[in-house]
Amino acid sequence: MYRYDEFDHTFVTQRVAQFREQVARRIAGELTEDEFKPLRLMNGLYLQLHAYMLRVAIPYGTLSSRQLRQLGYIARRYDRGYGHFTTRQNIQFNWPTLKDVPDILADLAAVEMHAIQTSGNCIRNTTADATAGVAADEVADSRIYCEIIRQWSTLHPEFSFLPRKFKIAVTGSGRDRAVTAAHDIGLRLKLDADGNPGFEVLVGGGQGRTPILAVTIREFLPERHLLSYLEAILRVYNQLGRRDNIYKARIKILVRETGRDEFARLVEEEWAHIRDGELRLPDGEIERIQAYFAPPAYQALDDACPELAVQRAGNRAFDAWVGSNVEAHKRPGYAVVTISLKPHGGIPGDASAEQMEAVADLADRYGFGEIRVTYKQNLLLPDIRKGDLFALWQGLVAAGLATANAHRVTDIIACPGLDYCNLANARAIPVAQAISERFADPERERAIGNVTVNISGCINACAHHHVANIGILGVDKKGKEFYQVTLGGAADENAAIGDIVGPAFDEDRIADAVETVVDVYLAERRGADEPFIDTYRRIGLKPFKEKLYAAH
Amino acid sequence: MPLIKNGARLQDPWFAVATEEELDRSGPMLVPLALWQEHRDRLVDRVGPIGIRLASHESPAAIAGDLERFDLVALEFPKFTDGRAFSYARLLRERHGFTGEIRAVGHVLRDQIAFLLRCGFDAFDLDERAAAGWQAATGAFSAWYQPAADADAPIPARRRYAVPARASVAVIRSEPVQPPAPEPAACAANWAY
């Protein structure tokens, strides 16, 4: 993992002191709420429906056990004993008081964390595939580049007042687990003919009321040019992005209105001026950062693990959990474990202080003390010996964290919705809970297989419903909550935006509608190994639509 | 509104021209882009300093060929959230080598001053409250992560050349802030990332 040096420590400490002074000015009445707003937003502090919400950055979703324990401590000490993990690999605390926030930031700084740029019209926390460094199919480790981007983008003097927020994602493998096509900039690591790492550069992806997939403006960018090329893109956007209409201010609109080729030309023209300037990464810099992410002390193990087979055969619940929540690791004898934060009927992405502490303990005991936060609002233990899986699972069962539903229909992404958020038009959490309960039977869920279900409580699409296989959007119609369904979206390397199926469903019928969609899929699929998205692409919207609206 | 240049309060010597008639005045004269473009031929040969004022949608590219004629480029912030001029200032310093005054005018928050300085602004038309907070606003951080238009070594360069972190946060500078280095090309050479 990355560790702060004296410069990083000094920087976050000074940031805390600066915000403490700003909060004092606010509490003393020297700043109005309007004046305070941009200052608090740049430190991740939102004013929600009921209280302040603090969003803490978890850079590229990587946590040490010490950091996760500290998040648990903060949840207990300053909040109501829980936190909420987000699709952008951050954590949100929903009930801090304003006067406590500087202390929370100081507690975060003590474990090398901060809340810088988790809000505001600036470069947000850079996200990565949660399996970076351990995925069997990885080309290069995205964390290295994310850390380089994190430092460059932190309090960037030129890009802190952009037309709109700006999100960068990096994926290290051909299987895109970072949803790069839905980001303002998506970077896909690849190798050139000589085996040197670089990036395919995508720009202009985004969700919201105008969902657009990013387009490639450069097939291969050598790694040493990473920052100068990002600076060129941001500089073009900062000057030309629309500022007259908040809904047209994202870079996706600029790219679409300018055209891909012309936008790429503008970027290349700007880049030509700066590519060999101060931002060019010097020899040794990438290696310096890479050293922080050196592989842990893996043991030499056989990949085959006979005891695991025996344990699976002897325990159906464990067997099902391994089947859904355990993935291949690049090292023999190791596995990657998803810890589901989606208990059936629970709130997606929430974890209690006790659960955070339990996961930290398990990471220390069975892993190398490292935890990841995933795009799907789950946690992940990257390095577990196959022979330890059963003991780990028992520990997770004790903590209420052993739900065997990773990638399944109840592994739902949901935003906080109208229960917390003042932008929302409808509640998202109760709908997620209802659908989760509907599919709670583990046998049935396993039979359905992998499918993504995302629920957003408003058109801002924080839960990425546009790129879900089954997307649900809450809308307000004359004071009543309705839910619009989209089908066929995808968030992987074959990203797609879902098709709207028809008129929205009310709260009482939305779980039925999802069940109907699943039933059509089960009836139409060519065998259990054809996942939902493949069936949808083969048969299209019509059969689903007919069934959904047959009774009306 | 107090004018602060290089950290010190000044009387503004510039007259802000609003109409064509005012172009006949003597003394330092700050001219909006439209008037400059319309009357360029007669203004080029005028005796006395000329400054140019650019609205936030007016890129310095429009005056790049005339920069030698200007002692001042004033960049407007119609509201503090319109951050285009941050890029304009860097381009003026780093691309076009402009060494005259770059002044922020309009709606600028105290908490933006440190960023503005880093982008190459050296003068600020501030309201009284923002001006009063100048020292706290400019002294909060001792080093920054990225190279910009200022002369300070960014953190990557400090790491490479083992330059220690400067003042701690408790020490608020009492002397005026030094102006940005006049030769951006030299910064690039000194502080290669």
Side-chain angles (χ1 to χ4, degrees), chain A residues 250-441:
Chain A
R250 295 287 290 268
I251 196 174
K252 64 189 175 186
I253 303 295
L254 177 65
V255 173
R256 194 179 67 177
E257 290 183 352
T258 312
R260 184 208 6 211
D261 294 346
E262 174 61 9
F263 185 82
R265 190 191 67 74
L266 290 169
V267 170
E268 294 280 331
E269 185 179 275
E270 175 60 34
W271 185 50
H273 289 287
I274 60 175
R275 57 176 283 172
D276 294 316
E278 299 167 83
L279 283 172
R280 182 183 166 123
L281 293 167
D283 290 346
E285 177 62 10
I286 292 169
E287 290 75 8
R288 189 182 74 80
I289 300 290
Q290 192 168 26
Y292 287 106
F293 300 100
Y298 291 120
Q299 295 172 324
L301 299 173
D302 277 342
D303 199 45
C305 183
E307 60 187 301
L308 175 61
V310 173
Q311 288 157 342
R312 289 188 70 168
N315 188 314
R316 283 184 65 183
F318 175 63
D319 181 57
W321 178 80
V322 173
S324 57
N325 290 40
V326 176
E327 286 170 77
H329 195 287
K330 65 161 66 162
R331 300 292 289 232
Y334 284 86
V336 180
V337 170
T338 296
I339 299 173
S340 171
L341 297 181
K342 318 288 176 64
H344 291 129
I347 297 175
D350 272 15
S352 68
E354 293 74 21
Q355 287 176 326
M356 292 183 221
E357 285 156 0
V359 171
D361 290 347
L362 292 167
D364 283 338
R365 190 158 171 199
Y366 299 112
F368 295 97
E370 190 177 326
I371 302 99
R372 309 284 177 83
V373 183
T374 77
Y375 163 67
K376 295 212 61 168
Q377 301 180 279
N378 292 316
L379 299 177
L380 182 146
L381 298 179
D383 304 295
I384 303 298
R385 285 184 306 193
K386 288 182 177 177
D388 286 336
L389 284 171
F390 189 65
L392 170 68
W393 176 76
Q394 289 175 310
L396 291 172
V397 169
L401 290 168
T403 314
N405 63 350
H407 314 297
R408 307 288 204 228
V409 63
T410 63
D411 189 2
I412 296 168
I413 294 176
C415 72
L418 200 51
D419 291 291
Y420 293 96
C421 179
N422 53 5
L423 300 174
N425 298 120
R427 289 167 299 159
I429 291 169
V431 173
Q433 290 172 312
I435 295 169
S436 177
E437 279 164 6
R438 186 69 65 94
F439 292 98
D441 175 8

Side-chain angles (χ1 to χ4, degrees), chain B residues 3-89:
Chain B
L3 173 69
I4 296 191
K5 186 171 179 187
N6 298 334
R9 282 177 183 245
L10 294 181
Q11 278 293 329
D12 188 354
W14 291 87
F15 178 78
V17 173
T19 64
E20 188 180 337
E21 291 70 45
E22 291 169 337
L23 290 173
D24 294 328
R25 294 171 62 107
S26 59
M29 198 161 75
L30 180 57
V31 184
L33 178 65
L35 280 180
W36 167 260
Q37 288 174 330
E38 197 178 333
H39 302 282
R40 183 181 178 282
D41 291 346
R42 77 185 238 229
L43 288 171
V44 162
D45 297 326
R46 173 183 186 268
V47 177
I50 297 183
I52 188 94
R53 180 174 172 127
L54 300 178
S56 67
H57 65 276
E58 293 167 345
S59 165
I63 46 142
D66 292 331
L67 274 174
E68 284 188 7
R69 186 63 188 86
F70 303 128
D71 294 277
L72 162 67
V73 178
L75 300 175
E76 284 179 25
F77 287 79
K79 53 188 176 193
F80 78 90
T81 51
D82 186 340
R84 282 176 277 198
F86 288 95
S87 287
Y88 296 160

